[in-house]
Amino acid sequence: MNELVDLLLRATVWMTIASVLLACLRPLLLRLGGAALAYRSWVLMPLLLLAVVLPLPPLVGVERIPLPTLVALPSVAAGVQAFSLDGMSVLLFAWGAGVAVMLARACIAQRRFVRAMGPLQRRDDGSWQATSDPGLPALVGLLRPRVVVGPAFDSMFDARQRALVLRHEHSHREHGDPWGNAALLLLHCLFWFHPLGGWTARRFQRDQELACDARVLADDPAQCRSYAMALLAAQGVHPGVAVACHWRGPSQLKERIAMLKQGKRGWVSTTSGQLLLAGLCIGAGGIAWAGQAVQPPHIVAPASADRQATAIQRVAPAYPKEAFERSIAGNVMLRVVVGTDGTPTDVRVTSATVPGVFDAAAVQAARQWTFQPALKDGVAVATTLQVPVTFSLDNDGPLP
C-alpha cells in the first residue's frame, strides 16, 4: 500500500508540473505553431505520468553485501506501525471511493445525454438527426462515434455552414479526439482530488476545439466568415458530457473567432515550435523518470573496499498489529545504503512475499540501525547492503 500511495503522490506532483508548464508555454506555442501545436503539447501530461511508473534500470557495477536475516516476532510492540497501516488503508479507501463516484457520475451523465437525444434517424449527409437537442451538433460515442445533429440543424445553419459543421465533427473522428476525451476523463477520475483537475480539463478541450477549427479551415481560409457565423448561430447550446466532441463550448466563442483570423505559420516558426515541444517532452520526461528513485552518489563495489560495512546495532522491526491478528507472516528484502558516517541514507523495499503489509515496519526499523562504514584506502565510503527481514509468528527462524 505504501508503494501505491507514493506512486499517487509522485504522479500528482508531476501532473501539477505538467499543467503549469503547459499554461506558461501555451502563448509561445500558439505564436510558433498555432492551435495544432498547442493541442499536441498535451502529450506531455501522459508522458510524465508514464515516466513516473516506468522502472529504472538496476545499478551497474554495484555489489550488494547480504547480511544475516533479521527475525521480527509478535512480542515486539507495534502501536505506531498499526496506526500507519490503518491510516494508509483509510487513505486508499477514500481514493478508491472517490474514483468510483467520479466514474459513476460520468457514466450517468453520458447516459442521460444519449437518452435525451431521443431516437436517431440517418440523414443523407451521413450524420444522424436527434428528436431533441441536449447540446448538439456533436460527435457522440467512443468505439463507433457518430455525428449527431439537432432537429433544428437545417433551419439554424445554411448549406455552407452545415457543410463546415459536419466537416468539423468528422475531423474530430478522423484524429481520434473522442479517445483523447476518454483519456482525459480517466485521468480526471483517478486524480479527482487534484485542485487543478477541472481547470486542466477545460483547457484541454479548448485546445482540442481550436485545433479542429484550424484543420477545417486549413485548405479553405475563405470560409472563415461562414465558419464564424456558424459558431454564433449555436451560441445558445450548452454541452455537458465528457466523451463527446461538441460543436461549441460556451466559454470558447470569443477565442475561437479570434483564432480564425490568424494566418498560416511559416515553416521556420512551425519547426521551432515542434523542436521546443520535443525538447520539453524529452527534458521533463527524463527528469520525471530519473527522479522517481534517485540513487545516492559515491556507492562503490564492496569487493574493492579494504573493509566491508558491518552492523553495529540493528533494531528489530515492530510486528504490525493487524498482521498479527490475521496470523500473517512473511519476508521483506531491504536495500540499505550506508553512508560514510555509518547511518542509513536510503532504505527501500526490493521485494516482499506479502507486499504492503510489512514494508513500513521494516523500513522504519532499518532507518534506526547503525553500521561501521566500509573503508577504501583508509577513507570511509558509502556501501549498499541487502538485508532480509523475516516476520514470523514463532521463533523457528527465517521463513522458507
Side-chain angles (χ1 to χ4, degrees):
M1 285 187 289
N2 290 332
E3 290 81 0
L4 180 56
V5 172
D6 179 67
L7 177 61
L8 282 173
L9 290 176
R10 287 188 286 113
T12 301
V13 170
W14 281 106
M15 185 176 175
T16 304
I17 293 175
S19 299
V20 173
L21 283 175
L22 293 176
C24 294
L25 291 176
R26 184 176 184 271
L28 179 58
L29 294 174
L30 284 174
R31 190 177 302 114
L32 293 175
L37 184 63
Y39 180 49
R40 201 177 303 130
S41 67
W42 285 97
V43 73
L44 177 66
M45 186 164 292
L47 178 65
L48 292 186
L49 295 178
L50 178 63
V52 168
V53 301
L54 192 65
L56 285 170
L59 288 175
V60 178
V62 176
E63 179 184 351
R64 297 180 175 91
I65 304 174
L67 290 185
T69 301
L70 183 65
V71 179
L73 300 174
S75 58
V76 181
V80 176
Q81 295 299 327
F83 173 79
S84 175
L85 182 63
D86 294 340
M88 204 69 66
S89 300
V90 171
L91 286 176
L92 289 178
F93 177 80
W95 171 74
V99 172
V101 170
M102 292 293 291
L103 284 174
R105 289 180 57 185
C107 291
I108 292 173
Q110 187 77 17
R111 181 174 177 81
R112 284 178 178 174
F113 179 80
V114 173
R115 294 182 65 179
M117 294 188 301
L120 303 181
Q121 183 177 359
R122 185 71 180 240
R123 292 167 52 96
D124 295 337
D125 56 17
S127 64
W128 296 79
Q129 187 158 11
T131 54
S132 61
D133 188 355
L136 302 171
L139 180 66
V140 183
L142 183 61
L143 297 179
R144 299 180 62 183
R146 295 184 291 184
V147 178
V148 183
V149 299
F153 181 67
D154 293 326
S155 60
M156 182 182 298
F157 306 101
D158 60 30
R160 181 178 298 179
Q161 291 171 352
R162 289 197 297 270
L164 290 172
V165 171
L166 294 177
R167 193 186 307 171
H168 176 96
E169 299 302 336
H170 285 299
S171 179
H172 275 308
R173 179 167 56 190
E174 292 168 2
H175 287 80
D177 288 342
W179 289 99
N181 290 335
L184 172 68
L185 174 62
L186 178 60
L187 287 179
H188 197 191
C189 292
L190 291 176
F191 297 93
W192 57 266
F193 54 87
H194 200 290
L196 298 180
W199 180 84
T200 301
R202 290 190 296 271
R203 275 144 185 79
F204 172 84
Q205 292 175 331
R206 173 194 62 184
D207 288 341
Q208 183 184 85
E209 292 302 323
L210 292 175
C212 191
D213 293 341
R215 291 194 300 264
V216 172
L217 295 176
D219 298 329
D220 193 1
Q223 299 285 351
C224 185
R225 180 178 177 83
S226 296
Y227 202 89
M229 295 303 296
L231 287 174
L232 290 171
Q235 61 179 328
V237 179
H238 300 286
V241 296
V243 190
C245 299
H246 300 273
W247 166 242
R248 191 188 68 78
S251 62
Q252 302 170 351
L253 179 61
K254 184 177 180 179
E255 185 177 13
R256 288 179 69 180
I257 292 179
M259 289 293 293
L260 297 179
K261 303 176 182 178
Q262 298 186 7
K264 194 172 183 180
R265 274 73 177 173
W267 71 270
V268 175
S269 177
T270 303
T271 303
S272 300
Q274 292 174 346
L275 290 176
L276 174 62
L277 178 58
L280 176 65
C281 292
I282 295 174
I287 294 174
W289 179 60
Q292 62 176 289
V294 179
Q295 303 293 346
H298 307 303
I299 299 179
V300 301
S304 63
D306 302 331
R307 185 189 69 192
Q308 296 181 352
T310 56
I312 298 176
Q313 181 181 8
R314 287 200 293 171
V315 179
Y319 208 102
K321 181 180 178 182
E322 183 177 326
F324 173 68
E325 292 175 347
R326 297 169 58 187
S327 300
I328 299 177
N331 296 321
V332 175
M333 180 64 72
L334 296 177
R335 193 204 70 168
V336 182
V337 178
V338 180
T340 56
D341 59 352
T343 60
T345 60
D346 186 73
V347 180
R348 298 181 185 273
V349 176
T350 59
S351 63
T353 55
V354 190
V357 176
F358 302 107
D359 299 22
V363 170
Q364 182 173 342
R367 287 174 177 161
Q368 305 175 44
W369 298 344
T370 56
F371 297 85
Q372 186 178 36
L375 293 179
K376 182 178 181 181
D377 299 329
V379 179
V381 293
T383 308
T384 303
L385 308 176
Q386 276 188 336
V387 183
V389 181
T390 292
F391 290 82
S392 176
L393 295 170
D394 51 48
N395 200 15
D396 294 337
L399 298 176

